Amino acid sequence: MAVKFAGTMNAINRGLDATKPSKGTDMVEDWEAALAEIDTPGAKGILRDLGSLRKQLERSEPDADRVHALLHRLGTATTKIAEKADTSQEKLKMLGDALTEAGEDTPDEDEDVAAAASPKRARKKV
């Protein structure tokens, strides 16, 4: 999971606007696969929002406002779940803080339940 942290944090540090949507989609799919079998409270909400973010990044013209709202929600949820994680608590908290800062709070944002039900990448067996 360290590679996922590093890649995501590098993209955030460089500026998400400089990250190609296809690269963002790959990162989202990697996170979906990593979270698919985690049974921690909050993980399903993160998966749902990752699915919504993936769908936005797959569009020819992603809705910037929706993307920023999803980033903020993902950041907030990641920060909360970090406290419950068995490992990588500090990395998860840093990731959550960075995502929250990169996003924008939009309380009216609708949840995309269908996207969460069908993550693109299956979890790789190690």
Side-chain angles (χ1 to χ4, degrees):
M1 191 144 347
V3 172
K4 288 177 187 52
F5 282 117
T8 305
M9 289 302 293
N10 286 339
I12 292 169
N13 291 335
R14 280 191 312 268
L16 291 175
D17 293 339
T19 303
K20 293 180 182 179
S22 61
K23 180 63 178 165
T25 300
D26 289 345
M27 284 189 280
V28 168
E29 289 173 356
D30 286 342
W31 280 108
E32 285 177 315
L35 290 170
E37 295 180 19
I38 292 178
D39 191 26
T40 300
K44 298 233 186 296
I46 291 173
L47 271 172
R48 180 181 52 244
D49 287 341
L50 282 170
S52 296
L53 180 59
R54 177 180 35 82
K55 285 174 60 176
Q56 281 298 317
L57 296 175
E58 289 172 341
R59 296 173 69 177
S60 59
E61 291 189 34
D63 179 341
D65 290 338
R66 182 152 165 84
V67 169
H68 283 104
L70 287 165
L71 290 174
H72 188 273
R73 267 203 342 227
L74 283 164
T76 302
T78 301
T79 301
K80 286 180 185 174
I81 204 171
E83 299 167 2
K84 302 170 189 160
D86 293 336
T87 60
S88 304
Q89 285 184 344
E90 188 58 33
K91 288 182 180 181
L92 280 170
K93 184 171 180 343
M94 287 173 46
L95 176 62
D97 290 345
L99 287 169
T100 301
E101 189 174 314
E104 184 177 320
D105 189 15
T106 308
D108 297 344
E109 179 68 20
D110 293 329
E111 295 177 357
D112 192 341
V113 177
S118 60
K120 285 256 179 150
R121 288 191 181 174
R123 184 178 172 124
K124 295 178 184 175
K125 301 287 183 196
V126 196

